[in-house]
Amino acid sequence: MSASLLPLQASLGVLLFTCLAFCLLPEPALGITRHYQLKINLQNVTRLCHTKSMVTANGQFPGPRIVAREGDNLLIRVVNHVQNNISIHWHGIRQLRSGWADGPAYITQCPIQTGQSYVYNYTIVGQRGTLWWHAHISWLRSTLYGPLIILPKRGVPYPFAKPYKEIPIIFGEWFNADTEAIINQALQTGGGPNVSDAYTLNGLPGPLYNCSAKDTFKLKVKPGKTYLLRLINAALNDELFFSIANHTLKIVEVDAVYVKPFDTEILLITPGQTTNVLLQTKPDFPNATFLMTARPYATGQGTFDNSTVAGILEYESPSNSIQSSIKKLPLFKPTLPALNDTAFAATFSSKLRSLANAQFPANVPQNVDKKFFFTVGLGTNPCPKNQTCQGPSNTTMFSASVNNVSFTMPTTAILQSHFFGQSNGVYTPDFPTTPIVPFNYTGNPPNNTMVSNGTKLVVLPYNTSVELVLQDTSILGAESHPLHLHGFNFYVVGQGFGNYDPNKDPAMFNLVDPVERNTVGVPSGGWVAIRFLADNPGVWFMHCHLEVHTSWGLKMAWLVLDGKLPNQKLLPPPADLPKC
């Protein structure tokens, strides 16, 4: 062989080896672009023998299911055909550098006005599981919500046995009255808003309510099968206990993050949270039907909807003869905790742990750059002059705050004003990192219950590691607060009752396998500690997911600055971004 051929032969060998090596690699799981359209319109809906015209998406209540895979790009066009301003939030989606698609009105976008449309454009990065979407303006999410299901990449299995079937179950609240009228009246009078008339399972109140036997969600199952139930709490103002009579549920995921599986007969789910459970049906036809019920976990002193929603778990019968007599089968009902069972709530949440394995690591920030201590709770504002109010007294209105700052919604979008350097008069970057006036947070409340008001933000440099302690207060009564952080998942590293002790409590933090989620319940009369990495530039809302508390101002925002590299900067706004 001539010497001149050796380099060519060597090159061909290298090429062949490279080709073989590449061909043996797994096929890259590239996402696809999925298109959806949500037409926001009025629809007549009847529940509890009461018909009302209400805001829906595509005429459906609950709204349509959106399904994608990890890695997919979603283009969702929202067209507003109603008189209300509209914005949609994709709850739990991280929105990496795509804050323009996050959706909270006047935070990341101006709302979509009547006759206008907006395309929400985002890519699902590193997430799979159950999330949801909902209106994020005033109380419109009472009727405008639906499941958002993210399947794993093709060929990637669940970290548990593949279920026979998957069923979304979304909890909601039904109001006979118009919810916009309810909250508008409450904000004018300063009093507590009227509570809902029923809870719903997939939009249906169930047989325990008057005039609702036919409006009952029925889950029909086969014996000896495993079902994945994708539970979502879309209720406006209530945390809920849930159970299925004579059946055990295996918790496998919360807030679209896998957890170490554990069995429970009862679970707690707060507004904003999602929980995936495996339901193993009985091996043989049980000659019975079973109620699945949910009712509130209520810790505050205010009024609440003290009722129970029920669906029916019904086994497919082995023969038509039994099927014809299914109404004669015994009906079993689960036992739920007491309405204010805070001990159960704390025990249940303490069982949640990240998988923390090689495939699904728990990347808990071990070192913290910035520590924050936020009090969350109720308070008061003075009644306007020459007006009698219906708050805690006839001279005060109900309010709520974080570190005694009740958030004032701006009239233009904060993200837009930040991006274009026009923040003057819109917000100030001086949100207090600790309470300005410390007090015994869970002891006897101070005499002065007044809050301050303003549009203040916390500014974080890119990639700051954050530890945030959220402390409930006893002002106007201790109460659980489900806090939702937009744009990030966080790790729940600790929780406890009473006042947080910075000298003793950190020693008990779990920095190995804490649960990772986007919404956490601040314990009634207690505290919770979370950690997250501020690796997503933009403006990110954080608020109580009890809508009444959000309306009263229990909300704030974080501004995460751009990093130095191109892939660490907020993308520019889309051309069709709504204008105020």
Side-chain angles (χ1 to χ4, degrees), residues 78-121:
V78 177
V79 189
N80 185 7
H81 294 296
V82 298
Q83 292 304 305
N84 311 76
N85 285 344
I86 295 294
S87 72
I88 302 292
H89 172 49
W90 317 95
H91 185 110
I93 294 288
R94 288 223 42 208
Q95 300 290 3
L96 289 163
R97 302 171 60 218
S98 59
W100 309 103
D102 192 44
Y106 302 106
I107 304 297
T108 59
Q109 68 166 96
C110 296
I112 307 165
Q113 298 178 18
T114 306
Q116 303 297 310
S117 66
Y118 179 47
V119 176
Y120 290 90
N121 180 357

mmCIF file of all heavy atoms in Angstrom, residues 78-121:
data_model
loop_
_atom_site.group_PDB
_atom_site.id
_atom_site.type_symbol
_atom_site.label_atom_id
_atom_site.label_comp_id
_atom_site.label_asym_id
_atom_site.label_seq_id
_atom_site.Cartn_x
_atom_site.Cartn_y
_atom_site.Cartn_z
ATOM 1 N N VAL A 78 -54.576 33.360 22.875
ATOM 2 C CA VAL A 78 -55.735 33.672 23.712
ATOM 3 C C VAL A 78 -56.470 34.854 23.081
ATOM 4 O O VAL A 78 -55.885 35.923 22.883
ATOM 5 C CB VAL A 78 -55.311 33.996 25.157
ATOM 6 C CG1 VAL A 78 -56.515 34.384 26.000
ATOM 7 C CG2 VAL A 78 -54.586 32.789 25.782
ATOM 8 N N VAL A 79 -57.731 34.633 22.749
ATOM 9 C CA VAL A 79 -58.549 35.658 22.098
ATOM 10 C C VAL A 79 -59.651 36.073 23.064
ATOM 11 O O VAL A 79 -60.414 35.228 23.545
ATOM 12 C CB VAL A 79 -59.176 35.125 20.789
ATOM 13 C CG1 VAL A 79 -59.841 36.258 20.024
ATOM 14 C CG2 VAL A 79 -58.126 34.441 19.917
ATOM 15 N N ASN A 80 -59.742 37.354 23.344
ATOM 16 C CA ASN A 80 -60.685 37.854 24.342
ATOM 17 C C ASN A 80 -61.976 38.345 23.689
ATOM 18 O O ASN A 80 -62.004 39.389 23.032
ATOM 19 C CB ASN A 80 -60.039 38.983 25.158
ATOM 20 C CG ASN A 80 -60.938 39.458 26.279
ATOM 21 O OD1 ASN A 80 -61.990 38.874 26.541
ATOM 22 N ND2 ASN A 80 -60.535 40.526 26.956
ATOM 23 N N HIS A 81 -63.065 37.601 23.889
ATOM 24 C CA HIS A 81 -64.370 37.973 23.351
ATOM 25 C C HIS A 81 -65.328 38.466 24.449
ATOM 26 O O HIS A 81 -66.531 38.535 24.219
ATOM 27 C CB HIS A 81 -65.015 36.786 22.635
ATOM 28 C CG HIS A 81 -64.286 36.342 21.403
ATOM 29 N ND1 HIS A 81 -64.144 37.134 20.285
ATOM 30 C CD2 HIS A 81 -63.649 35.172 21.111
ATOM 31 C CE1 HIS A 81 -63.458 36.477 19.361
ATOM 32 N NE2 HIS A 81 -63.143 35.296 19.834
ATOM 33 N N VAL A 82 -64.811 38.779 25.643
ATOM 34 C CA VAL A 82 -65.670 39.238 26.732
ATOM 35 C C VAL A 82 -65.306 40.678 27.096
ATOM 36 O O VAL A 82 -64.300 41.223 26.636
ATOM 37 C CB VAL A 82 -65.560 38.317 27.969
ATOM 38 C CG1 VAL A 82 -66.014 36.902 27.623
ATOM 39 C CG2 VAL A 82 -64.149 38.308 28.544
ATOM 40 N N GLN A 83 -66.141 41.290 27.937
ATOM 41 C CA GLN A 83 -65.912 42.687 28.322
ATOM 42 C C GLN A 83 -64.799 42.828 29.357
ATOM 43 O O GLN A 83 -64.221 43.901 29.513
ATOM 44 C CB GLN A 83 -67.213 43.299 28.873
ATOM 45 C CG GLN A 83 -68.304 43.461 27.819
ATOM 46 C CD GLN A 83 -67.846 44.292 26.635
ATOM 47 O OE1 GLN A 83 -67.384 45.415 26.789
ATOM 48 N NE2 GLN A 83 -67.967 43.721 25.438
ATOM 49 N N ASN A 84 -64.484 41.756 30.082
ATOM 50 C CA ASN A 84 -63.425 41.811 31.087
ATOM 51 C C ASN A 84 -62.049 41.806 30.430
ATOM 52 O O ASN A 84 -61.851 41.187 29.389
ATOM 53 C CB ASN A 84 -63.499 40.585 32.015
ATOM 54 C CG ASN A 84 -64.892 40.339 32.557
ATOM 55 O OD1 ASN A 84 -65.763 39.848 31.850
ATOM 56 N ND2 ASN A 84 -65.108 40.675 33.819
ATOM 57 N N ASN A 85 -61.100 42.467 31.061
ATOM 58 C CA ASN A 85 -59.703 42.284 30.686
ATOM 59 C C ASN A 85 -59.268 40.878 31.100
ATOM 60 O O ASN A 85 -59.705 40.373 32.140
ATOM 61 C CB ASN A 85 -58.819 43.323 31.376
ATOM 62 C CG ASN A 85 -58.945 44.696 30.738
ATOM 63 O OD1 ASN A 85 -59.449 44.837 29.626
ATOM 64 N ND2 ASN A 85 -58.477 45.722 31.443
ATOM 65 N N ILE A 86 -58.384 40.274 30.310
ATOM 66 C CA ILE A 86 -58.006 38.875 30.540
ATOM 67 C C ILE A 86 -56.485 38.744 30.519
ATOM 68 O O ILE A 86 -55.797 39.395 29.726
ATOM 69 C CB ILE A 86 -58.606 37.955 29.437
ATOM 70 C CG1 ILE A 86 -60.132 37.935 29.500
ATOM 71 C CG2 ILE A 86 -58.042 36.529 29.542
ATOM 72 C CD1 ILE A 86 -60.715 37.303 30.751
ATOM 73 N N SER A 87 -55.969 37.904 31.392
ATOM 74 C CA SER A 87 -54.596 37.405 31.250
ATOM 75 C C SER A 87 -54.584 35.974 31.773
ATOM 76 O O SER A 87 -55.367 35.619 32.657
ATOM 77 C CB SER A 87 -53.593 38.280 32.017
ATOM 78 O OG SER A 87 -53.739 38.088 33.418
ATOM 79 N N ILE A 88 -53.698 35.143 31.221
ATOM 80 C CA ILE A 88 -53.634 33.729 31.588
ATOM 81 C C ILE A 88 -52.239 33.411 32.125
ATOM 82 O O ILE A 88 -51.226 33.766 31.510
ATOM 83 C CB ILE A 88 -53.945 32.808 30.384
ATOM 84 C CG1 ILE A 88 -55.329 33.121 29.798
ATOM 85 C CG2 ILE A 88 -53.847 31.339 30.798
ATOM 86 C CD1 ILE A 88 -56.499 32.767 30.681
ATOM 87 N N HIS A 89 -52.197 32.707 33.259
ATOM 88 C CA HIS A 89 -50.941 32.266 33.876
ATOM 89 C C HIS A 89 -50.801 30.762 33.714
ATOM 90 O O HIS A 89 -51.760 30.016 33.934
ATOM 91 C CB HIS A 89 -50.955 32.645 35.365
ATOM 92 C CG HIS A 89 -49.815 32.076 36.149
ATOM 93 N ND1 HIS A 89 -48.500 32.176 35.741
ATOM 94 C CD2 HIS A 89 -49.792 31.398 37.324
ATOM 95 C CE1 HIS A 89 -47.737 31.596 36.642
ATOM 96 N NE2 HIS A 89 -48.484 31.112 37.602
ATOM 97 N N TRP A 90 -49.611 30.327 33.341
ATOM 98 C CA TRP A 90 -49.310 28.904 33.153
ATOM 99 C C TRP A 90 -48.609 28.453 34.424
ATOM 100 O O TRP A 90 -47.383 28.464 34.529
ATOM 101 C CB TRP A 90 -48.496 28.720 31.871
ATOM 102 C CG TRP A 90 -49.097 29.585 30.804
ATOM 103 C CD1 TRP A 90 -48.701 30.851 30.447
ATOM 104 C CD2 TRP A 90 -50.269 29.300 30.030
ATOM 105 N NE1 TRP A 90 -49.546 31.355 29.483
ATOM 106 C CE2 TRP A 90 -50.515 30.431 29.202
ATOM 107 C CE3 TRP A 90 -51.122 28.197 29.937
ATOM 108 C CZ2 TRP A 90 -51.587 30.491 28.314
ATOM 109 C CZ3 TRP A 90 -52.188 28.252 29.040
ATOM 110 C CH2 TRP A 90 -52.404 29.392 28.243
ATOM 111 N N HIS A 91 -49.429 28.061 35.388
ATOM 112 C CA HIS A 91 -49.003 27.930 36.789
ATOM 113 C C HIS A 91 -47.957 26.827 36.948
ATOM 114 O O HIS A 91 -48.228 25.656 36.693
ATOM 115 C CB HIS A 91 -50.232 27.625 37.655
ATOM 116 C CG HIS A 91 -49.945 27.598 39.113
ATOM 117 N ND1 HIS A 91 -50.405 28.560 39.988
ATOM 118 C CD2 HIS A 91 -49.243 26.725 39.869
ATOM 119 C CE1 HIS A 91 -49.999 28.268 41.205
ATOM 120 N NE2 HIS A 91 -49.292 27.151 41.145
ATOM 121 N N GLY A 92 -46.764 27.217 37.391
ATOM 122 C CA GLY A 92 -45.689 26.262 37.642
ATOM 123 C C GLY A 92 -44.679 26.153 36.529
ATOM 124 O O GLY A 92 -43.594 25.607 36.725
ATOM 125 N N ILE A 93 -45.007 26.669 35.331
ATOM 126 C CA ILE A 93 -44.033 26.676 34.235
ATOM 127 C C ILE A 93 -42.919 27.661 34.602
ATOM 128 O O ILE A 93 -43.187 28.806 34.965
ATOM 129 C CB ILE A 93 -44.696 27.096 32.906
ATOM 130 C CG1 ILE A 93 -45.726 26.050 32.467
ATOM 131 C CG2 ILE A 93 -43.627 27.309 31.830
ATOM 132 C CD1 ILE A 93 -45.151 24.750 31.967
ATOM 133 N N ARG A 94 -41.683 27.225 34.467
ATOM 134 C CA ARG A 94 -40.569 28.069 34.914
ATOM 135 C C ARG A 94 -40.370 29.318 34.050
ATOM 136 O O ARG A 94 -39.809 30.308 34.517
ATOM 137 C CB ARG A 94 -39.279 27.247 34.964
ATOM 138 C CG ARG A 94 -39.280 26.259 36.128
ATOM 139 C CD ARG A 94 -37.958 26.216 36.856
ATOM 140 N NE ARG A 94 -37.382 27.532 37.066
ATOM 141 C CZ ARG A 94 -36.071 27.748 37.176
ATOM 142 N NH1 ARG A 94 -35.231 26.738 37.062
ATOM 143 N NH2 ARG A 94 -35.597 28.957 37.369
ATOM 144 N N GLN A 95 -40.780 29.257 32.787
ATOM 145 C CA GLN A 95 -40.661 30.426 31.903
ATOM 146 C C GLN A 95 -39.225 30.960 31.880
ATOM 147 O O GLN A 95 -38.984 32.158 32.101
ATOM 148 C CB GLN A 95 -41.627 31.547 32.336
ATOM 149 C CG GLN A 95 -43.081 31.184 32.323
ATOM 150 C CD GLN A 95 -43.664 30.990 30.930
ATOM 151 O OE1 GLN A 95 -42.958 31.083 29.939
ATOM 152 N NE2 GLN A 95 -44.942 30.688 30.859
ATOM 153 N N LEU A 96 -38.273 30.086 31.574
ATOM 154 C CA LEU A 96 -36.878 30.496 31.560
ATOM 155 C C LEU A 96 -36.631 31.545 30.474
ATOM 156 O O LEU A 96 -36.761 31.269 29.291
ATOM 157 C CB LEU A 96 -35.970 29.280 31.351
ATOM 158 C CG LEU A 96 -35.906 28.347 32.564
ATOM 159 C CD1 LEU A 96 -35.348 26.993 32.181
ATOM 160 C CD2 LEU A 96 -35.088 28.976 33.680
ATOM 161 N N ARG A 97 -36.362 32.765 30.908
ATOM 162 C CA ARG A 97 -36.095 33.927 30.053
ATOM 163 C C ARG A 97 -37.311 34.350 29.241
ATOM 164 O O ARG A 97 -37.204 35.232 28.388
ATOM 165 C CB ARG A 97 -34.900 33.660 29.124
ATOM 166 C CG ARG A 97 -33.609 33.309 29.870
ATOM 167 C CD ARG A 97 -32.504 32.841 28.933
ATOM 168 N NE ARG A 97 -32.172 33.879 27.969
ATOM 169 C CZ ARG A 97 -31.874 33.630 26.688
ATOM 170 N NH1 ARG A 97 -31.904 32.394 26.228
ATOM 171 N NH2 ARG A 97 -31.573 34.617 25.881
ATOM 172 N N SER A 98 -38.462 33.729 29.492
ATOM 173 C CA SER A 98 -39.671 34.050 28.706
ATOM 174 C C SER A 98 -40.761 34.624 29.605
ATOM 175 O O SER A 98 -41.922 34.252 29.503
ATOM 176 C CB SER A 98 -40.173 32.797 27.978
ATOM 177 O OG SER A 98 -40.486 31.759 28.897
ATOM 178 N N GLY A 99 -40.362 35.514 30.507
ATOM 179 C CA GLY A 99 -41.309 36.097 31.449
ATOM 180 C C GLY A 99 -42.496 36.779 30.805
ATOM 181 O O GLY A 99 -43.545 36.938 31.428
ATOM 182 N N TRP A 100 -42.370 37.171 29.544
ATOM 183 C CA TRP A 100 -43.482 37.813 28.824
ATOM 184 C C TRP A 100 -44.664 36.864 28.673
ATOM 185 O O TRP A 100 -45.780 37.299 28.392
ATOM 186 C CB TRP A 100 -43.011 38.260 27.443
ATOM 187 C CG TRP A 100 -41.754 39.062 27.473
ATOM 188 C CD1 TRP A 100 -40.499 38.630 27.141
ATOM 189 C CD2 TRP A 100 -41.610 40.422 27.901
ATOM 190 N NE1 TRP A 100 -39.592 39.643 27.325
ATOM 191 C CE2 TRP A 100 -40.240 40.758 27.784
ATOM 192 C CE3 TRP A 100 -42.513 41.395 28.363
ATOM 193 C CZ2 TRP A 100 -39.753 42.023 28.120
ATOM 194 C CZ3 TRP A 100 -42.018 42.647 28.695
ATOM 195 C CH2 TRP A 100 -40.661 42.949 28.575
ATOM 196 N N ALA A 101 -44.429 35.562 28.883
ATOM 197 C CA ALA A 101 -45.506 34.570 28.749
ATOM 198 C C ALA A 101 -46.029 34.099 30.095
ATOM 199 O O ALA A 101 -46.851 33.191 30.147
ATOM 200 C CB ALA A 101 -45.009 33.368 27.935
ATOM 201 N N ASP A 102 -45.577 34.709 31.194
ATOM 202 C CA ASP A 102 -45.975 34.204 32.518
ATOM 203 C C ASP A 102 -47.429 34.524 32.841
ATOM 204 O O ASP A 102 -48.134 33.705 33.415
ATOM 205 C CB ASP A 102 -45.045 34.771 33.591
ATOM 206 C CG ASP A 102 -45.211 34.086 34.919
ATOM 207 O OD1 ASP A 102 -45.305 32.836 34.942
ATOM 208 O OD2 ASP A 102 -45.265 34.782 35.958
ATOM 209 N N GLY A 103 -47.873 35.744 32.544
ATOM 210 C CA GLY A 103 -49.307 36.009 32.568
ATOM 211 C C GLY A 103 -49.945 36.836 33.661
ATOM 212 O O GLY A 103 -51.073 37.276 33.463
ATOM 213 N N PRO A 104 -49.329 37.069 34.845
ATOM 214 C CA PRO A 104 -50.056 37.872 35.840
ATOM 215 C C PRO A 104 -50.225 39.320 35.369
ATOM 216 O O PRO A 104 -49.252 39.987 35.028
ATOM 217 C CB PRO A 104 -49.175 37.781 37.096
ATOM 218 C CG PRO A 104 -47.814 37.455 36.589
ATOM 219 C CD PRO A 104 -48.021 36.622 35.359
ATOM 220 N N ALA A 105 -51.472 39.774 35.370
ATOM 221 C CA ALA A 105 -51.783 41.104 34.845
ATOM 222 C C ALA A 105 -51.061 42.188 35.639
ATOM 223 O O ALA A 105 -51.014 42.147 36.871
ATOM 224 C CB ALA A 105 -53.289 41.342 34.893
ATOM 225 N N TYR A 106 -50.492 43.114 34.925
ATOM 226 C CA TYR A 106 -49.773 44.279 35.442
ATOM 227 C C TYR A 106 -48.449 43.928 36.112
ATOM 228 O O TYR A 106 -47.768 44.803 36.644
ATOM 229 C CB TYR A 106 -50.650 45.107 36.395
ATOM 230 C CG TYR A 106 -51.926 45.577 35.734
ATOM 231 C CD1 TYR A 106 -53.152 45.000 36.046
ATOM 232 C CD2 TYR A 106 -51.894 46.567 34.755
ATOM 233 C CE1 TYR A 106 -54.323 45.406 35.419
ATOM 234 C CE2 TYR A 106 -53.057 46.983 34.117
ATOM 235 C CZ TYR A 106 -54.265 46.397 34.449
ATOM 236 O OH TYR A 106 -55.410 46.798 33.805
ATOM 237 N N ILE A 107 -48.065 42.645 36.094
ATOM 238 C CA ILE A 107 -46.746 42.257 36.580
ATOM 239 C C ILE A 107 -45.846 41.980 35.379
ATOM 240 O O ILE A 107 -44.836 42.652 35.177
ATOM 241 C CB ILE A 107 -46.814 41.018 37.501
ATOM 242 C CG1 ILE A 107 -47.784 41.276 38.659
ATOM 243 C CG2 ILE A 107 -45.422 40.667 38.011
ATOM 244 C CD1 ILE A 107 -47.387 42.399 39.589
ATOM 245 N N THR A 108 -46.212 40.991 34.545
ATOM 246 C CA THR A 108 -45.407 40.681 33.362
ATOM 247 C C THR A 108 -46.075 41.133 32.068
ATOM 248 O O THR A 108 -45.447 41.077 31.019
ATOM 249 C CB THR A 108 -45.122 39.172 33.268
ATOM 250 O OG1 THR A 108 -46.381 38.469 33.216
ATOM 251 C CG2 THR A 108 -44.337 38.687 34.473
ATOM 252 N N GLN A 109 -47.325 41.503 32.121
ATOM 253 C CA GLN A 109 -48.012 41.957 30.909
ATOM 254 C C GLN A 109 -49.189 42.843 31.277
ATOM 255 O O GLN A 109 -49.754 42.726 32.363
ATOM 256 C CB GLN A 109 -48.533 40.762 30.103
ATOM 257 C CG GLN A 109 -49.666 40.020 30.797
ATOM 258 C CD GLN A 109 -50.417 39.064 29.889
ATOM 259 O OE1 GLN A 109 -50.122 37.887 29.861
ATOM 260 N NE2 GLN A 109 -51.403 39.579 29.154
ATOM 261 N N CYS A 110 -49.555 43.718 30.363
ATOM 262 C CA CYS A 110 -50.852 44.363 30.463
ATOM 263 C C CYS A 110 -51.894 43.341 30.011
ATOM 264 O O CYS A 110 -51.604 42.471 29.190
ATOM 265 C CB CYS A 110 -50.894 45.606 29.583
ATOM 266 S SG CYS A 110 -49.731 46.885 30.120
ATOM 267 N N PRO A 111 -53.093 43.410 30.554
ATOM 268 C CA PRO A 111 -54.090 42.394 30.193
ATOM 269 C C PRO A 111 -54.548 42.511 28.745
ATOM 270 O O PRO A 111 -54.403 43.560 28.105
ATOM 271 C CB PRO A 111 -55.233 42.664 31.170
ATOM 272 C CG PRO A 111 -55.063 44.073 31.593
ATOM 273 C CD PRO A 111 -53.595 44.363 31.553
ATOM 274 N N ILE A 112 -55.112 41.409 28.252
ATOM 275 C CA ILE A 112 -55.665 41.378 26.892
ATOM 276 C C ILE A 112 -57.040 42.035 26.940
ATOM 277 O O ILE A 112 -57.935 41.568 27.641
ATOM 278 C CB ILE A 112 -55.778 39.929 26.390
ATOM 279 C CG1 ILE A 112 -54.434 39.205 26.519
ATOM 280 C CG2 ILE A 112 -56.276 39.887 24.954
ATOM 281 C CD1 ILE A 112 -54.552 37.691 26.400
ATOM 282 N N GLN A 113 -57.211 43.091 26.202
ATOM 283 C CA GLN A 113 -58.467 43.826 26.242
ATOM 284 C C GLN A 113 -59.488 43.214 25.279
ATOM 285 O O GLN A 113 -59.170 42.359 24.457
ATOM 286 C CB GLN A 113 -58.204 45.302 25.905
ATOM 287 C CG GLN A 113 -57.284 45.969 26.929
ATOM 288 C CD GLN A 113 -56.969 47.410 26.599
ATOM 289 O OE1 GLN A 113 -57.665 48.050 25.812
ATOM 290 N NE2 GLN A 113 -55.910 47.937 27.196
ATOM 291 N N THR A 114 -60.724 43.637 25.443
ATOM 292 C CA THR A 114 -61.831 43.118 24.630
ATOM 293 C C THR A 114 -61.506 43.218 23.138
ATOM 294 O O THR A 114 -61.069 44.274 22.662
ATOM 295 C CB THR A 114 -63.112 43.909 24.935
ATOM 296 O OG1 THR A 114 -63.346 43.896 26.330
ATOM 297 C CG2 THR A 114 -64.305 43.306 24.203
ATOM 298 N N GLY A 115 -61.695 42.107 22.436
ATOM 299 C CA GLY A 115 -61.461 42.096 21.002
ATOM 300 C C GLY A 115 -60.010 41.902 20.602
ATOM 301 O O GLY A 115 -59.698 41.834 19.409
ATOM 302 N N GLN A 116 -59.118 41.809 21.585
ATOM 303 C CA GLN A 116 -57.692 41.655 21.302
ATOM 304 C C GLN A 116 -57.256 40.216 21.561
ATOM 305 O O GLN A 116 -57.985 39.415 22.161
ATOM 306 C CB GLN A 116 -56.867 42.620 22.157
ATOM 307 C CG GLN A 116 -57.238 44.088 21.978
ATOM 308 C CD GLN A 116 -56.982 44.581 20.573
ATOM 309 O OE1 GLN A 116 -55.911 44.389 20.013
ATOM 310 N NE2 GLN A 116 -58.004 45.207 19.960
ATOM 311 N N SER A 117 -56.035 39.882 21.129
ATOM 312 C CA SER A 117 -55.487 38.557 21.357
ATOM 313 C C SER A 117 -54.004 38.666 21.696
ATOM 314 O O SER A 117 -53.376 39.709 21.468
ATOM 315 C CB SER A 117 -55.678 37.665 20.127
ATOM 316 O OG SER A 117 -54.914 38.138 19.037
ATOM 317 N N TYR A 118 -53.454 37.577 22.214
ATOM 318 C CA TYR A 118 -52.027 37.523 22.561
ATOM 319 C C TYR A 118 -51.583 36.076 22.465
ATOM 320 O O TYR A 118 -52.318 35.167 22.886
ATOM 321 C CB TYR A 118 -51.811 38.074 23.979
ATOM 322 C CG TYR A 118 -50.374 38.054 24.456
ATOM 323 C CD1 TYR A 118 -49.337 38.513 23.654
ATOM 324 C CD2 TYR A 118 -50.053 37.596 25.735
ATOM 325 C CE1 TYR A 118 -48.023 38.514 24.106
ATOM 326 C CE2 TYR A 118 -48.748 37.592 26.196
ATOM 327 C CZ TYR A 118 -47.730 38.056 25.380
ATOM 328 O OH TYR A 118 -46.437 38.054 25.829
ATOM 329 N N VAL A 119 -50.405 35.858 21.906
ATOM 330 C CA VAL A 119 -49.857 34.509 21.789
ATOM 331 C C VAL A 119 -48.830 34.295 22.897
ATOM 332 O O VAL A 119 -47.795 34.981 22.930
ATOM 333 C CB VAL A 119 -49.218 34.277 20.406
ATOM 334 C CG1 VAL A 119 -48.570 32.880 20.360
ATOM 335 C CG2 VAL A 119 -50.262 34.407 19.309
ATOM 336 N N TYR A 120 -49.123 33.371 23.802
ATOM 337 C CA TYR A 120 -48.174 32.986 24.842
ATOM 338 C C TYR A 120 -47.205 31.978 24.223
ATOM 339 O O TYR A 120 -47.615 30.917 23.749
ATOM 340 C CB TYR A 120 -48.899 32.381 26.033
ATOM 341 C CG TYR A 120 -49.715 33.391 26.814
ATOM 342 C CD1 TYR A 120 -51.046 33.638 26.497
ATOM 343 C CD2 TYR A 120 -49.142 34.107 27.867
ATOM 344 C CE1 TYR A 120 -51.794 34.569 27.207
ATOM 345 C CE2 TYR A 120 -49.883 35.040 28.582
ATOM 346 C CZ TYR A 120 -51.202 35.272 28.255
ATOM 347 O OH TYR A 120 -51.937 36.186 28.956
ATOM 348 N N ASN A 121 -45.921 32.329 24.233
ATOM 349 C CA ASN A 121 -44.893 31.540 23.547
ATOM 350 C C ASN A 121 -43.836 31.138 24.566
ATOM 351 O O ASN A 121 -43.121 31.990 25.099
ATOM 352 C CB ASN A 121 -44.285 32.392 22.426
ATOM 353 C CG ASN A 121 -43.211 31.654 21.645
ATOM 354 O OD1 ASN A 121 -42.857 30.514 21.957
ATOM 355 N ND2 ASN A 121 -42.682 32.307 20.621
#
